[in-house]
Structure formats: structure tokens, C-alpha cells
Amino acid sequence: MNIRDVLAVNLKRLRRTKGVSQEELAHRADIDRTYISLVERSRNAVSIDVLAALAAGLGVEPADLLKPTPPTVDLNKKGRRTRNR
């Protein structure tokens, strides 16, 4: 997984965990909502300043958005193991 994908996964996960909509995060970080959507889909690379603004908007350290997370293992409906990324 490249760093843009790591950021996308972490941004979306942390935003949802904290119960923050893309619109609310955009307001907090003074960034357009569509830009956040593009970042969460790995369509845009961000500057270090935008990374800092997103982290501040979520109340986390910028490094938290760049740390790779190991995939989790879930069971699908048939009880088979699947890997989530």
C-alpha cells in the first residue's frame, strides 16, 4: 500500500470513528469537502500543511494519518476468513 492509500484509509477510519462528517471536517480544517472526498479515495496527494490541518481537525497527530495499519481478518457470511484493508 502506498502512502497516499495509507492516508486515505486512516483519514476515513479516524473521521468515522470520531463521528465527523466530511463536511464538518472540511469546516474544521478550512478545506473544501470535495477535496476531502478525493483524499479519502486516494485521488489527491496532500501538502504537509493540509495534512496538519486535517490532523488538527480530527484532534490527532499528523503522524497518525500516515502510520500503516495491519489488515484485519474478518469472517464473511459463510464463515470464511477475509482480509480487510
Side-chain angles (χ1 to χ4, degrees):
M1 188 180 301
N2 67 44
I3 193 68
R4 195 182 291 191
D5 293 335
V6 171
L7 173 61
V9 168
N10 287 336
L11 179 62
K12 191 172 194 174
R13 178 181 50 79
L14 288 167
R15 182 180 60 74
R16 287 181 170 176
T17 298
K18 294 181 177 284
V20 177
S21 69
Q22 287 181 345
E23 188 172 352
E24 176 62 24
L25 180 56
H27 176 72
R28 292 180 186 182
D30 196 26
I31 297 170
D32 190 80
R33 190 214 48 87
T34 56
Y35 187 79
I36 291 174
S37 175
L38 291 169
V39 173
E40 287 187 355
R41 291 182 288 134
S42 298
R43 301 281 191 231
N44 274 12
V46 301
S47 70
I48 198 78
D49 295 327
V50 170
L51 180 71
L54 291 170
L58 291 171
V60 299
E61 292 296 319
D64 294 335
L65 293 171
L66 300 176
K67 291 179 188 169
T69 56
T72 59
V73 177
D74 290 328
L75 297 178
N76 64 17
K77 291 180 182 178
K78 295 181 180 179
R80 296 185 183 136
R81 292 172 66 127
T82 60
R83 292 181 75 77
N84 292 334
R85 295 176 196 239

